[in-house]
Amino acid sequence: MITIDLRDKRPIYLQVIEGIEDLTIKGVLKPEEQLPSVRSLAMELSINPNTIQRAYLELEKRGTIYSIKGKGSFISENNQALAAVKKEELFTSLGDIVNEAKLLNISKEEFLDKIIAIYDKDKEGADK
Amino acid sequence: MITIDLRDKRPIYLQVIEGIEDLTIKGVLKPEEQLPSVRSLAMELSINPNTIQRAYLELEKRGTIYSIKGKGSFISENNQALAAVKKEELFTSLGDIVNEAKLLNISKEEFLDKIIAIYDKDKEGADK
DNA sequence: ATAACTGTACTAAGATTCTTAGTACAGTTA
DNA sequence: TAACTGTACTAAGAATCTTAGTACAGTTAT
């Protein structure tokens, strides 16, 4: 379901959050679908249940999931809002990168060319 | 010279490194130019000298500056390599963002339009 | 030589964050 | 009742960042 990279500098609970949200956006996890329990996911990923609990708590705050005591945790309906939030975050990061590009005297044209190259690079991979 | 944001989650020594490198790339700090001493910069930024020492040590490892015991720390000659390294780092980050954009079903066209908008937005600001 | 500066190298302690371990309790379901 | 759910704690360990203090070696101007 999710993979954790212990060499990653980012904390585990953030990796779990990102993993769940990515699967939700991809449609692998559908609205109202039940998530693994805190304990079972912890077992599966070989990490502490408290860490999963923290991730689920944050996911609930963000509105990605909702939890019911005794029943379980479930994907929320409003995945549209989730995608919008992630899109907003992405454009913020993009703004930072553009500013850095300006500092490095990278022209708009060079920048756009690079993006097109990156975009098209994976098309080859998809064909393989 | 440099500004430190204590609310920033990024460690202070990294902010110092980035500050020095940005000034070097901008040309504000020129090759062979002497940097503030460890102690004076610490005083100026109201942080501990050890933190500046750590930043300078890292900057020396990266080849951005060089230090001579008893004399001081100076900007290196090879700023070209520095810009190249930063450019490489930038394109790596850009690759990550493009992948995220694909996940969010953002088309290449929308992505490019957004970048053009960001690039041109600051032109207005520059005219003011 | 002396004083005042430079970089450099330590140790120690505090603060913060992340993670684990363990326990406990309330609600649900078969 | 048993076995599962979420939830809420406390405590401790690990890692990282920062500060504080001390010390030593090299440079420079007086």
Side-chain angles (χ1 to χ4, degrees):
Chain A
M1 185 179 193
I2 304 178
T3 56
I4 296 300
D5 182 7
L6 293 178
R7 296 162 305 181
D8 196 328
K9 326 91 205 159
R10 299 175 56 206
I12 299 175
Y13 79 97
L14 283 183
Q15 295 184 46
V16 173
I17 289 173
E18 191 184 88
I20 300 282
E21 292 195 334
D22 279 358
L23 290 176
T24 302
I25 290 173
K26 283 179 184 169
V28 177
L29 295 176
K30 296 178 173 39
E32 304 304 337
E33 181 172 345
Q34 182 164 10
L35 292 165
S37 74
V38 167
R39 292 171 180 83
S40 65
L41 184 54
M43 184 91 82
E44 179 184 331
L45 299 179
S46 300
I47 58 180
N48 194 280
N50 292 333
T51 305
I52 300 295
Q53 184 181 349
R54 178 167 183 181
Y56 277 14
L57 197 69
E58 189 63 35
L59 281 165
E60 194 168 13
K61 280 183 188 170
R62 293 179 60 143
T64 305
I65 71 172
Y66 65 91
S67 299
I68 301 176
K69 196 189 292 185
K71 295 196 69 175
S73 299
F74 308 86
I75 302 292
S76 300
E77 294 283 3
N78 56 337
N79 299 4
Q80 202 172 1
L82 172 60
V85 167
K86 294 219 118 188
K87 202 164 170 177
E88 197 59 39
E89 292 171 352
L90 181 140
F91 284 142
T92 297
S93 303
L94 189 56
D96 294 340
I97 287 195
V98 169
N99 285 331
E100 178 76 5
K102 286 179 181 174
L103 177 65
L104 293 173
N105 280 322
I106 299 175
S107 71
K108 183 165 74 178
E109 288 69 27
E110 182 183 357
F111 198 82
L112 294 178
D113 285 349
K114 187 72 182 182
I115 289 167
I116 292 171
I118 298 174
Y119 245 99
D120 294 343
K121 188 171 58 180
D122 277 344
K123 280 188 180 169
E124 306 168 13
D127 288 343
K128 284 176 186 172
Chain B
M1 184 177 192
I2 305 177
T3 56
I4 298 300
D5 182 6
L6 294 178
R7 295 162 304 179
D8 196 328
K9 327 89 205 159
R10 299 176 55 208
I12 298 175
Y13 80 97
L14 282 183
Q15 295 184 45
V16 173
I17 290 174
E18 192 184 87
I20 301 280
E21 292 195 334
D22 280 358
L23 291 175
T24 302
I25 289 172
K26 284 179 184 169
V28 177
L29 295 175
K30 297 178 174 35
E32 303 304 337
E33 181 171 346
Q34 183 164 11
L35 293 165
S37 74
V38 167
R39 292 172 180 83
S40 65
L41 184 54
M43 184 92 81
E44 181 185 330
L45 299 180
S46 301
I47 59 180
N48 194 280
N50 293 333
T51 305
I52 301 295
Q53 184 182 349
R54 178 166 184 182
Y56 277 15
L57 198 70
E58 190 62 35
L59 281 165
E60 194 169 11
K61 281 182 187 169
R62 292 179 61 141
T64 306
I65 71 172
Y66 65 94
S67 299
I68 301 175
K69 194 190 292 185
K71 295 196 68 174
S73 299
F74 308 86
I75 301 293
S76 300
E77 293 283 2
N78 56 338
N79 299 3
Q80 202 173 359
L82 171 61
V85 168
K86 295 217 114 185
K87 201 165 169 176
E88 198 58 39
E89 292 171 354
L90 181 141
F91 284 141
T92 298
S93 303
L94 189 55
D96 294 341
I97 288 194
V98 169
N99 285 333
E100 178 76 7
K102 286 179 181 175
L103 177 65
L104 293 173
N105 279 323
I106 299 175
S107 71
K108 183 166 72 177
E109 289 70 26
E110 181 182 357
F111 197 79
L112 294 178
D113 286 348
K114 188 71 183 182
I115 288 167
I116 292 171
I118 297 175
Y119 245 99
D120 294 344
K121 188 168 57 180
D122 277 342
K123 283 191 180 169
E124 306 169 14
D127 290 344
K128 283 178 186 170

